[in-house]
Amino acid sequence: MTFTTKDIAVVILNWNGKTLLERFLPSVTSYSDKASVYVVDNASTDTSVDFLKSNYPGVSIIQNTENGGYAKGYNEALKHIKKPLLCLLNSDIEVTKNWLVPIVETYNSAKDIAIIQPKILDQKQKSHFEYAGAAGGFIDKYGYPFCRGRIFETIEEDNGQYNDVKEIFWASGACFFIKNSVFKSLNGFDESYFAHMEEIDLSWRAFNTSHKVMYVGLSTVFHVGGATLNNTSARKTYLNFRNSLFTLVKNTDKNVLGRVLTRMVLDGLAAIRFLAQLKPSHFVAILKAHGSFYLGLPRLLKKRSQLKQLSNYYYQKSIVWNYFIKKQIKF
């Protein structure tokens, strides 16, 4: 099948985000040539839905009955969308002219491409990459995610160094293209995640079933980041550390025990570092993340038994060691 922009459904998840819709929806409706635009409302209590009905009659609205977070919110909504290509777009994304054309061209270049991420720059500092995705995601052997253009807190300036089309390991949920058929064959997002890192889990499951994940640097979007939960939030620390362990147990190879034990030691060091930085709430968040992980372990092992695991990683080393000890700040 040859895709065109008509085959894309741009799907924006919203929860009490009227101000974000006012600010960023105009770019989406102006530049999403021939694509269909949907807003999925996660049981907002503000006037988001009324605003959409009054100002954007061409935008389709899907109303969920509860706020099930990113994972459940999209899982429920996407049952109603039949377009062959889905673009899951954060409500705090500004898109650019012709942003969909390189995406479609890349899908048409190879049948095994399932997931695509564009270049994601910082909407507040447009010369730099944005934390959540940058120029495509990778993962180290202990399950720590990082990106081209961003390793931990070090973020690169965009000088055209990633204006390429490249296979990656995971795509950012801030702007996540996926074939509808693949999304459904993988049973969508894992709803136990609620929010954060579910796109990494889905990308890993896609990779383990021989689907390709690609980065397309010829398509650019700008992301505010942290509009719903900022990077200084202890809640975000909890979700990221917990969900990262979830993802590692479910998807890694037969060396899962050694990887998880090493990972938990490294998490402990991260917790101590938070204490040294006088951030006790983040220290507690990691403890809670590990507690939740222990409680969920039987369920995770059951899911693991139902999934396919592969041993080949894109990065066979520890990004923690290379970044903090060897001072490698670029990948």
Side-chain angles (χ1 to χ4, degrees):
M1 177 180 181
T2 300
F3 298 110
T4 70
T5 56
K6 287 183 179 180
D7 296 312
I8 298 175
V10 179
V11 189
I12 301 169
L13 189 67
N14 172 72
W15 181 71
N16 288 346
K18 179 191 171 187
T19 56
L20 294 175
L21 294 173
E22 288 176 324
R23 183 177 175 188
F24 295 109
L25 191 55
S27 72
V28 178
T29 56
S30 296
Y31 296 138
S32 300
D33 179 41
K34 298 180 182 178
S36 300
V37 179
Y38 295 78
V39 172
V40 178
D41 188 75
N42 251 1
S44 292
T45 56
D46 68 358
T47 57
S48 296
V49 173
D50 290 338
F51 166 76
L52 290 168
K53 290 178 178 178
S54 299
N55 296 278
Y56 291 94
V59 171
S60 300
I61 303 170
I62 299 174
Q63 292 183 259
N64 288 334
T65 57
E66 62 176 326
N67 178 19
Y70 184 98
K72 187 174 183 179
Y74 269 124
N75 282 352
E76 289 297 319
L78 297 181
K79 294 174 184 178
H80 307 288
I81 298 177
K82 307 302 181 185
K83 292 278 187 174
L85 298 178
L86 305 170
C87 172
L88 313 186
L89 190 71
N90 275 19
S91 59
D92 59 349
I93 290 273
E94 175 189 346
V95 306
T96 58
K97 190 174 182 180
N98 294 323
W99 68 298
L100 295 177
V101 174
I103 302 297
V104 168
E105 290 174 347
T106 304
Y107 270 121
N108 289 334
S109 68
K111 291 183 179 179
D112 56 354
I113 296 173
I115 298 170
I116 293 178
Q117 178 202 302
K119 179 192 290 187
I120 303 179
L121 299 179
D122 190 338
Q123 207 277 335
K124 302 182 292 294
Q125 189 179 14
K126 292 188 173 183
S127 60
H128 285 68
F129 287 94
E130 207 280 315
Y131 184 93
F138 292 85
I139 206 158
D140 82 346
K141 64 179 181 178
Y142 300 121
Y144 283 104
F146 60 98
C147 308
R148 293 197 304 166
R150 191 274 296 171
I151 301 179
F152 292 105
E153 302 303 320
T154 300
I155 298 172
E156 294 179 41
E157 184 175 1
D158 176 26
N159 295 309
Q161 69 270 42
Y162 303 121
N163 286 354
D164 55 1
V165 177
K166 182 177 178 64
E167 187 172 356
I168 56 177
F169 195 85
W170 59 269
S172 170
C175 186
F176 187 94
F177 290 85
I178 185 168
K179 287 179 177 175
N180 201 338
S181 59
V182 174
F183 186 85
K184 289 179 171 57
S185 72
L186 296 173
N187 298 314
F189 294 116
D190 185 334
E191 294 180 9
S192 67
Y193 283 52
F194 185 78
H196 296 291
M197 300 192 71
E198 58 277 279
E199 77 271 39
I200 298 177
D201 171 65
L202 185 60
S203 295
W204 202 335
R205 285 187 279 129
F207 175 83
N208 282 350
T209 49
S210 302
H211 295 293
K212 285 186 177 180
V213 183
M214 302 294 292
Y215 163 82
V216 178
L218 305 177
S219 173
T220 300
V221 301
F222 297 96
H223 183 213
V224 173
T228 55
L229 201 58
N230 66 49
N231 289 332
T232 62
S233 165
R235 172 69 173 168
K236 187 168 187 175
T237 297
Y238 164 78
L239 289 170
N240 279 339
F241 276 80
R242 185 198 68 168
N243 292 352
S244 186
L245 284 167
F246 283 6
T247 303
L248 188 61
V249 168
K250 286 173 57 182
N251 299 299
T252 196
D253 59 19
K254 62 183 179 180
N255 297 317
V256 57
L257 180 59
R259 295 188 195 280
V260 170
L261 290 176
T262 302
R263 170 59 190 268
M264 296 187 81
V265 171
L266 293 172
D267 283 1
L269 295 174
I272 293 170
R273 185 167 178 262
F274 278 128
L275 271 186
Q277 295 172 336
L278 302 179
K279 297 178 179 178
S281 62
H282 292 267
F283 172 84
V284 173
I286 293 177
L287 295 182
K288 288 182 176 179
H290 280 212
S292 180
F293 167 69
Y294 292 136
L295 291 173
L297 193 55
R299 174 185 54 79
L300 293 169
L301 292 175
K302 182 178 180 180
K303 285 190 175 183
R304 175 181 172 82
S305 69
Q306 299 168 346
L307 298 174
K308 179 180 179 181
Q309 291 83 36
L310 296 182
S311 60
N312 50 330
Y313 288 80
Y314 277 98
Y315 194 64
Q316 299 277 352
K317 303 176 183 178
S318 167
I319 197 66
V320 174
W321 176 267
N322 280 6
Y323 181 82
F324 290 103
I325 305 301
K326 297 180 70 175
K327 306 301 180 182
Q328 176 188 334
I329 61 172
K330 294 182 179 180
F331 175 67

